[in-house]
């Protein structure tokens, strides 16, 4: 394998000149740069980024920190109570796409905040050049502590005023889905929200209220329920509770697709057909919605695009630390499928 010394010898320059060329220094004459680049091509030389990072105090890695709400998980990793983490997975696809033509890689950490104030290890050990925080379960004080360590931070899915952020308009997304049911003529609608510990659950409630009020309806404890867990099991148990209370709505809206799939399992067991007997609309489009039968009408929050925009923010922040803080909120889109029918008169 060729070394930097081999490149220097082939080009007839010093090792430091090769380093200047690799770092795109403007101090190198064009003729010299061309000789070095020609030598690199002929020798198939690949720079040792780890060694360069030690000199420049760079890791060439970004950290992705995914907060967890609790330690609840099914004993079987693929069981009904397992958290799918598809939101974070889809966002990371966008981050990876944004880094495709860069020298940066990713390290991933799932983090449970137990209230001790301890930082995620990626931030605590200064192992990365920047951190992406996905979701809204991180305390603002913890974000402050990461920033104090001089680590650039971009948050995806929530707005913290002290760092760069990209989110989606959650209330608008819920409004679009619930209004679709209302426009179809449904009035006996129940909303199954994510657990109350998720900050976005309040934003979802705002969107629900907006749609209901437009049609002269009110949100009550009967038509708005918080799921215990953000899983299929959570949706199943919430739907079961509705039927135990003899509420039996003719339409349901859910906070996400894993909750919707739990509802669908319960309805299947009860012999209730979708959309003939009940309609369902959900939120946070993923592959699950298209795989379901019937396919779920959902709201696309453009998770991959959020990840890509976050990457652009991070790279810009590294090149210009004094850049004005950025906050971008994307607009969600309703995706019509087969899970919503017409009201039977």
């Amino acid at each position: 394998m060729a070394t930097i010394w081999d490149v220097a010898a082939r080009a007839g320059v010093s090792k430091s000149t090769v380093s200047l060329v690799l770092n795109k220094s403007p101090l190198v004459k064009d003729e010299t740069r061309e000789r070095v680049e020609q030598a690199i091509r002929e020798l198939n030389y690949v720079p040792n980024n780890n060694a360069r990072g030690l000199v420049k105090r760079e890791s060439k890695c970004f950290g992705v920190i995914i907060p967890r709400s609790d330690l609840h998980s099914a004993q079987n990793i693929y069981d009904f109570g397992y958290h799918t983490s598809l939101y974070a997975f889809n966002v990371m696809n966008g981050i990876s796409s944004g880094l495709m033509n860069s020298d940066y890689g990713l390290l991933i950490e799932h983090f449970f905040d137990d209230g001790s104030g301890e930082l995620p290890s990626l931030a605590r050990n200064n192992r990365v050049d920047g951190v992406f925080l996905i979701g809204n379960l991180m305390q603002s004080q913890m974000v402050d502590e990461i920033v104090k360590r001089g680590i650039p931070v971009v948050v995806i899915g929530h707005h913290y005023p002290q760092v760069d952020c990209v989110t989606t308009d959650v209330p608008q997304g819920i409004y679009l889905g619930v209004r679709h049911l209302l426009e179809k003529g449904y009035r006996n609608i129940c909303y199954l929200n994510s657990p109350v510990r998720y900050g976005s659950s309040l934003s979802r409630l705002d969107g629900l209220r907006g749609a209901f009020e437009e049609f002269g309806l009110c949100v009550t404890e009967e038509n708005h329920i918080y799921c215990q867990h953000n899983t299929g099991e959570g949706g199943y148990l919430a739907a079961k509770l509705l039927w135990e209370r003899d509420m039996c709505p003719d339409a349901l809206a859910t906070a996400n697709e894993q909750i919707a799939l739990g509802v669908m399992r319960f309805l299947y067991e009860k012999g209730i057909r979708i959309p003939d007997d009940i309609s369902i609309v959900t939120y946070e489009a993923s592959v699950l919605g298209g795989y379901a039968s019937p396919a779920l009408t959902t709201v696309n929050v453009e998770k991959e695009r959020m990840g890509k925009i976050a990457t652009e923010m991070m790279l810009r922040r590294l090149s210009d630390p004094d850049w004005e803080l950025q906050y971008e909120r994307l607009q969600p889109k309703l995706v019509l499928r087969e899970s919503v029918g017409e009201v039977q008169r």
Side-chain angles (χ1 to χ4, degrees), residues 80-82 84 229-237 258-263:
F80 205 42
Y82 188 73
T84 65
H229 298 292
N230 215 21
T231 63
E233 181 185 41
Y236 181 96
L237 294 175
Q258 56 262 34
I259 289 176
L261 288 180
V263 170

Side-chain angles (χ1 to χ4, degrees), residues 1-271:
M1 181 180 293
T3 68
I4 193 170
W5 298 103
D6 297 326
V7 173
R10 174 68 68 93
V13 299
S14 66
K15 171 180 170 291
S16 60
T17 300
V18 177
S19 295
L20 289 172
V21 172
L22 291 173
N23 288 302
K24 305 185 185 303
S25 171
L27 302 176
V28 183
K29 295 180 180 179
D30 290 342
E31 180 183 349
T32 303
R33 184 186 308 279
E34 291 173 5
R35 286 209 319 275
V36 172
E37 291 175 346
Q38 178 65 28
I40 289 172
R41 288 192 294 270
E42 292 174 354
L43 295 171
N44 292 319
Y45 171 67
V46 178
N48 185 337
N49 284 325
N50 288 333
R52 292 170 66 195
L54 289 173
V55 174
K56 300 175 68 177
R57 295 186 178 179
E58 293 179 348
S59 68
K60 286 298 179 184
C61 276
F62 292 129
V64 177
I65 298 175
I66 305 169
R68 293 185 57 177
S69 60
D70 54 33
L71 296 179
H72 171 81
S73 181
Q75 291 183 353
N76 183 338
I77 194 171
Y78 297 123
D79 208 347
F80 205 42
Y82 188 73
H83 290 262
T84 65
S85 298
L86 278 176
Y87 181 92
F89 175 78
N90 295 148
V91 168
M92 284 191 291
N93 283 343
I95 295 173
S96 298
S97 176
L99 294 176
M100 191 171 296
N101 295 318
S102 75
D103 294 330
Y104 286 92
L106 291 175
L107 294 175
I108 301 167
E109 178 179 358
H110 290 261
F111 177 74
F112 172 65
D113 184 3
D114 60 4
S116 66
E118 186 174 359
L119 293 177
S121 63
L122 288 177
R124 187 172 67 248
N125 299 324
N126 284 42
R127 297 169 57 191
V128 291
D129 297 332
V131 165
F132 296 101
L133 299 178
I134 298 180
N136 51 33
L137 290 172
M138 192 73 71
Q139 296 297 318
S140 182
Q141 298 91 326
M142 187 167 290
V143 177
D144 287 336
E145 288 301 316
I146 297 174
V147 172
K148 286 178 183 178
R149 289 174 173 262
I151 303 173
V153 175
V154 178
V155 174
I156 305 161
H158 192 65
H159 181 218
Y160 294 92
Q162 66 269 47
V163 294
D164 299 314
C165 302
V166 54
T167 69
T168 190
D169 190 337
V170 176
Q172 177 66 10
I174 303 304
Y175 168 82
L176 289 175
V178 175
R179 187 186 66 177
H180 178 62
L181 292 174
L182 292 164
E183 288 177 337
K184 287 290 186 179
Y186 294 99
R187 294 296 181 269
N188 185 15
I189 301 170
C190 184
Y191 186 77
L192 302 184
N193 206 339
S194 54
V196 69
R197 59 184 170 273
Y198 286 83
S200 61
S201 65
L202 297 177
S203 298
R204 297 171 199 268
L205 182 54
D206 288 340
L208 175 65
R209 286 196 179 108
F212 270 23
E213 289 173 1
E214 189 173 313
F215 284 77
L217 302 175
C218 295
V219 176
T220 68
E221 291 183 0
E222 286 72 34
N223 59 29
H224 172 254
I225 294 177
Y226 290 103
C227 294
Q228 185 178 1
H229 298 292
N230 215 21
T231 63
E233 181 185 41
Y236 181 96
L237 294 175
K240 182 180 179 182
L241 179 63
L242 285 176
W243 262 258
E244 287 175 349
R245 294 176 176 176
D246 293 324
M247 294 174 62
C248 308
D250 55 15
L252 285 167
T254 72
N256 53 54
E257 292 185 349
Q258 56 262 34
I259 289 176
L261 288 180
V263 170
M264 293 176 77
R265 175 184 284 195
F266 174 81
L267 296 175
Y268 173 78
E269 292 177 0
K270 296 285 288 184

